Amino acid sequence: MSDALDTARRALAKARGEALVTVARERSATLRFASSRPTQATSIDDLTVEIAVVRGGHVGRATTNRVGDDALADCGRAAALAAEAAADSAGEGHYRGFPEPAPVRAHDGFDAKTAALDPATGADGLRCAFGAESTGAVRLSGIWTAGDVETAIASSTGIELSDRVTDAFMKVIATAPNGRTGYAAQSAVAASGLDPAALAERAADTAAVDGEPVSLPPGDYTVVMEPHAVLDVLWVLGETAFDGLAHAEGRGALSGKLGTRVVSPSINLSDSPRFHATLPRAFDAEGVPKAPLPLIQDGVAHRVVHDTRSAAIAGPPTATTGHALVAGGQAAGPRPTNLVLIGGGAADESELCAPVERGIYVTRLWYTNVLRPTESRFTAVTRDGTFLIEDGRIARPLEDMRLTDSALAILSHVQALGARSVLTSDGELYGRRFATGSVCPPLRTDGVHFSGSARHG
């Protein structure tokens, strides 16, 4: 029995009534670098106890970092008071109780060497990046990080589960003397899955493309997207289309569209927590087992994701699909955390560019924000490698462009997909470490709307 599960059991014994306890133990290390020099190293060793209590269809939560009996009892009382206050002010709620126990499947999401968090591993990674021959005069910045997280759950319904996962991430931003930048990043279960030298070379090569940046007028363009740009498109779908709460309330991008073709027939998208390249987990925040869930098959929308709360609002026969992010469900609704977009027949990005007479090559997007959720419409800015494609090849750098379009529309016009899908992540881990990513290929799509250059909005 793990110490985390033992703590969860002790906390559950201090809670009154129906309750679920989550204990998360995080150990992590992060190395930051700028101008091709290490700048900061941080480490975390933290344990958090969260107690969730149900009263009158409402869930109250409280957290503590202390594990003494008195502290756990105080945390349980605080959670109960929060739930009772919600029930008193809002009346009967939708939540009908925590799930019953169910068997979970093991996964390959833990690597013992990564869990050792040897700082020499990260230091070696930085040395490999700084020593990459192609970096030349460019300066490198970014982060290297690895984590070991154990999560244990105990509930009054009889759930007793523990899961341990590791993750590693590195991103490199190369800045050339002329100020242009390039980007490369990798995510993996194990630190050995990162290739710092290759990342540095890729970022440096992107930054060093010859030619003065040109600008394009607003309009619709054929676009080749690298996987890190596709990541943002899939994130928008997670926020707008696959949220079961928004779907149940008629404000989701797939409301009224399940069973119909919503994107190109070449699109096959699922939430697959045990896919070989993803960051797996055995269960969700309510202890519900993780299982593959087809979302879009051959362009046809099949499912959205649910937690216990959103399923109750949707009504029978809807049930949780194991996508709770917090016990009792977060207010914004559930989200897919292991999206997998299956690749196609194009060998690589060069082959995707080959048929394009004039278009835009996008390395990645940032400042991605949803504008109209019911349309999956969003805006984002290209960054760290935006190029003009002419006569089937990258011709020159472009000024960064502002993309304003619908995620569903972008996938509706997909012409080709790269053969190799890779794990992508933005690597931004705030609060409790919960590493996620999407597995996706590069793609070529047509008619993507750009509303202007990034400088002019």
Side-chain angles (χ1 to χ4, degrees), residues 137-162:
V138 304
R139 293 296 181 180
L140 306 180
S141 61
I143 65 170
W144 179 99
T145 182
D148 169 17
V149 178
E150 181 181 9
T151 304
I153 293 179
S155 76
S156 55
T157 59
I159 292 173
E160 289 191 350
L161 296 170
S162 180

Side-chain angles (χ1 to χ4, degrees), residues 77-254:
R77 282 191 290 270
L81 286 173
E84 291 162 2
D88 289 344
S89 63
E92 188 69 20
H94 293 284
Y95 201 77
R96 292 295 174 260
F98 296 117
E100 297 293 324
V104 299
R105 288 183 56 181
H107 56 68
D108 297 322
F110 177 77
D111 178 71
K113 289 185 178 180
T114 301
L117 297 179
D118 183 351
T121 304
D124 288 344
L126 266 59
R127 276 192 290 270
C128 288
F130 299 156
E133 291 183 359
S134 68
T135 57
V138 304
R139 293 296 181 180
L140 306 180
S141 61
I143 65 170
W144 179 99
T145 182
D148 169 17
V149 178
E150 181 181 9
T151 304
I153 293 179
S155 76
S156 55
T157 59
I159 292 173
E160 289 191 350
L161 296 170
S162 180
D163 191 24
R164 191 175 177 187
V165 297
T166 54
D167 72 274
F169 173 80
M170 186 173 185
K171 74 175 178 181
V172 179
I173 298 174
T175 304
N178 58 15
R180 291 202 291 275
T181 56
Y183 177 87
Q186 276 184 314
S187 299
V189 165
S192 60
L194 305 180
D195 189 339
L199 290 174
E201 291 178 3
R202 171 63 177 161
D205 288 347
T206 304
V209 173
D210 290 334
E212 286 300 314
V214 297
S215 62
L216 287 180
D220 297 343
Y221 293 91
T222 299
V223 175
V224 172
M225 291 185 173
E226 289 193 5
H228 277 92
V230 179
L231 170 69
D232 278 52
V233 177
L234 299 185
W235 175 83
V236 171
L237 290 182
E239 294 290 304
T240 65
F242 302 131
D243 173 359
L245 179 62
H247 188 81
E249 294 176 344
R251 51 186 179 82
L254 292 180

Side-chain angles (χ1 to χ4, degrees), residues 50 388 417 430:
E50 180 180 86
L388 177 67
L417 296 154
Y430 300 112

